[in-house]
């Protein structure tokens, strides 16, 4: 199949193709994202990449059978929650994360559970059969229905799927797969896109669910074009600090469920263990009688989780004070500092200010505002807050405290974890049926009142 070779430039962010190089992609505006690939201009090549037919026919919507919507449970209820209740048949799920975070481990654990009843094809382009077997032994995975295929040629994988029709397919990882007919190297935009498309066509036709592992690039996005995220049904990210043992699984796209849910795991000697009580984990090792630390309750999907916020305000050594925030939006922090200064009389303008959310959680809820303010004020005044108190609430630009959703769930979580006082916006009290609350509720209207209610 000797075709003429030509060079194309492809944007690794959006997949835009052009005959010439651009410093900035004209379609998505990404800088320095165009990479060169060699392509054959034969018409046959197109035919191998996208084979024609069989075509589908229109069906009246009333005749479409939905009974098949049953989901496979993975044996990990934290994962089921993130997927929206389990694996939907025929769905393609992309799972991304840094190297060594545990992607292969979680896939093998799913195989261990589902392999008792289903036939599973595990395709690995990264590890040898022996390495996978060793890991499986460590995880206690020993299923006679689990087949390991070490292969990087995607056409061989697709043929195997069509011939064997397994119940579940794992591809580890998509960046190692390649189409031998395409001249670009594995991991390039074209290869990743075409391999995903080929696998998707195969599994959709046979209604087989599949997981594919995707590596992330240095910006934390799944390497390859954004179109990859558009092709698949669900995109899950595995996050966490390599130094710490816990891992958070988060859905950023899900056609069959909510994207708010998170799953919490703990990486141990024998693989990933589910964490059923994340609040306890997030608060373990919390310092007491120290200024600048505060506990809040955030909602991750439908689940309330307690988190510790730490703030530090120190004299600035330079002309421009530094502001840094980990786990909380930087701009939101600046806004809170401005409100504290203008509306509440706490002056930070010549101080460096730092915020850290302990445990690697990312708080993107306005309900965390008040706790950020409390941690900063506590550090500013060097006054420790009550160790048995929880606080939440949104801060408005006028310095007022605004009600937030799910107040009752948050309060109950605080009570369940043994906290004795909850400081919350006054307007939230209406949401809570006061009769049987096992915790003292203090409704406040301003930041200053909140601080006074929290002081020891
Ligand atoms: P792995 O699943 O290979 O990561 P990925 O596929 O995302 O690159 O996980 C590897 C890491 O997990 C490695 O640092 C070892 C650690 N690990 C454990 O701590 N316990 C275990 O039981 C297993 C299997 C791995
Ligand atoms: Mg791996």
């Amino acid at each position: 199949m000797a075709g003429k070779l030509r060079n194309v430039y492809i944007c690794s962010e959006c997949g835009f193709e052009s005959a010439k190089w651009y410093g900035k992609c004209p379609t998505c505006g990404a800088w320095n994202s165009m990479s060169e690939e060699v392509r054959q201009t034969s018409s046959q090549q197109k035919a191998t990449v996208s084979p024609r037919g069989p075509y589908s026919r229109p069906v009246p919507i009333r005749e479409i059978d939905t009974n098949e919507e049953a989901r496979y449970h993975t044996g990990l209820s934290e994962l089921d929650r993130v997927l929206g209740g389990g694996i939907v048949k025929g769905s393609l799920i992309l799972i991304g994360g840094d190297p060594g975070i545990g992607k292969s481990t979680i896939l093998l654990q799913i195989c261990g559970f589902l392999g008792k009843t289903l036939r599973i094809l595990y395709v690995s382009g990264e590890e040898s059969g022996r390495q996978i077997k060793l890991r499986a032994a460590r995880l206690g995975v020993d299923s006679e229905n689990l087949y390991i295929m070490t292969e990087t040629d995607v056409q061989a994988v697709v043929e195997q799927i069509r011939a064997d029709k397994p119940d579940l397919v794992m591809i580890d990882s998509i960046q190692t797969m390649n189409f031998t007919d395409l001249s670009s190297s594995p991991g390039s935009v074209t290869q990743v896109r075409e391999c995903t498309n080929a696998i998707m066509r195969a599994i959709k036709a046979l209604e087989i669910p599949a997981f594919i592992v995707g590596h992330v690039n240095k910006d934390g996005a799944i390497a390859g074009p954004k179109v990859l995220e558009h092709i698949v049904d669900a995109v899950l990210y595995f996050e966490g600090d390599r130094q710490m043992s816990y891992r958070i699984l988060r859905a950023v796209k899900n056609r069959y469920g909510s994207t708010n849910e998170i799953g919490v795991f703990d990486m141990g000697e024998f693989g990933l263990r589910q964490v059923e009580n994340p609040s306890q984990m997030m608060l373990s090792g919390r310092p007491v009688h120290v200024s600048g630390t505060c506990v809040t309750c955030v909602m991750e999907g439908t689940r309330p989780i307690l988190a510790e916020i730490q703030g530090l305000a120190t004299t600035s050594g330079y002309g421009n004070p530094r502001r840094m925030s980990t786990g909380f939006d930087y701009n939101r922090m600046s806004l809170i500092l401005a409100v504290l200064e203008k509306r509440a009389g706490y002056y930070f303008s010549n101080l460096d200010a730092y915020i850290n959310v302990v445990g690697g959680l990312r708080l993107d809820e306005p309900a965390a505002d008040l706790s950020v303010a409390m941690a900063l004020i506590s550090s500013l005044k060097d006054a420790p807050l009550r160790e048995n108190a929880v606080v939440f609430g949104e801060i408005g630009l006028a310095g007022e405290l605004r009600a937030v959703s799910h107040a009752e769930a948050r309060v109950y979580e605080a009570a369940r974890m043994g906290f004795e006082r909850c400081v919350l916006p006054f307007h939230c009290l209406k949401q809570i049926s006061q009769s049987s609350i096992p915790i003292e509720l203090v409704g406040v209207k301003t930041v200053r009142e909140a601080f006074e209610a929290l002081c020891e």
Side-chain angles (χ1 to χ4, degrees), residues 292-412:
T293 148
C294 177
V295 177
T296 189
C297 187
V298 290
M299 298 300 295
E300 287 286 357
T302 50
R303 187 158 57 156
I305 294 182
L306 297 187
E308 181 192 347
I309 317 263
Q310 296 190 330
L312 188 66
T314 60
T315 323
S316 178
Y318 307 97
N320 253 353
R322 284 194 69 176
R323 263 87 227 251
M324 230 173 79
S325 143
T326 315
F328 188 76
D329 182 46
Y330 176 83
N331 293 325
R332 188 94 200 156
M333 172 188 171
S334 305
L335 193 139
I336 292 172
L337 285 169
V339 172
L340 291 184
E341 187 145 342
K342 180 86 181 172
R343 308 283 185 189
Y346 297 105
Y347 293 99
F348 289 90
S349 49
N350 54 352
L351 300 177
D352 289 344
Y354 305 93
I355 279 292
N356 179 36
V357 180
V358 181
L361 271 183
R362 268 200 336 247
L363 310 187
D364 35 23
E365 245 200 322
D369 288 357
L370 190 55
S371 59
V372 168
M374 291 301 112
L376 287 168
I377 298 171
S378 161
S379 177
L380 177 77
K381 301 270 177 202
D382 206 8
L385 303 180
R386 281 167 174 260
E387 59 167 299
N388 59 3
V390 166
V391 58
F392 62 85
E394 178 179 351
I395 299 180
L397 290 192
E400 83 282 15
L401 296 188
R402 311 190 67 98
V404 297
S405 58
H406 304 287
E408 192 160 299
R410 296 177 207 258
V411 165
Y412 272 104

Side-chain angles (χ1 to χ4, degrees), residues 99-100 102-105 122 124 126-127 135 172-173 213 215:
K103 302 181 293 295
S104 307
T105 307
Y122 188 110
S124 178
E126 305 206 328
E127 291 158 308
R135 184 197 312 237
D172 188 3
S173 64
V213 167
H215 290 291

Side-chain angles (χ1 to χ4, degrees), residues 98-105 135 138-139 267-271:
D98 290 333
I101 201 86
K103 302 181 293 295
S104 307
T105 307
R135 184 197 312 237
R138 183 170 169 187
L139 298 172
M267 177 68 96
E269 204 181 327
F270 303 108

